[in-house]
Amino acid sequence: MVGFLPTINDATHDDPSVNGNLLTVTQVAQLLNAHQHSVRRWADSGLLDCYRIGFRGDSRFKPDDVEAFLLARIDGSNTC
């Protein structure tokens, strides 16, 4: 189901120039029309898979994981 997510700053999530194909908290929040704190809460609770990178442990998200999260929310299989 590649290509389901809209574009970010005129670059699709398939474009490797967008953080090496990983999305930031801000980008995921924009895609899901949610607040950044909500995205972090979903990641911390395990509802949304994330990867911690760098010394600070910044969160990054695979577009496919975000898409799966969105589809699960639409189907109503996950609630928070």
Side-chain angles (χ1 to χ4, degrees):
M1 188 159 249
V2 176
F4 182 79
L5 295 175
T7 61
I8 302 172
N9 298 330
D10 297 325
T12 66
H13 69 275
D14 294 327
D15 184 355
S17 66
V18 181
N19 291 325
N21 212 25
L22 293 176
L23 303 172
T24 65
V25 171
T26 301
Q27 291 170 324
V28 172
Q30 290 173 348
L31 286 172
L32 299 179
N33 196 26
H35 197 276
Q36 294 174 6
H37 294 282
S38 296
V39 173
R40 287 187 187 99
R41 188 180 71 241
W42 295 329
D44 291 342
S45 68
L47 290 173
L48 177 58
D49 291 335
C50 78
Y51 302 88
R52 302 293 181 162
I53 64 166
F55 180 73
R56 297 184 324 181
D58 293 338
S59 298
R60 294 293 183 271
F61 303 86
K62 286 185 178 179
D64 291 340
D65 293 338
V66 176
E67 183 175 343
F69 172 79
L70 180 60
L71 292 175
R73 301 292 294 167
I74 290 171
D75 292 340
S77 59
N78 284 337
T79 59
C80 59

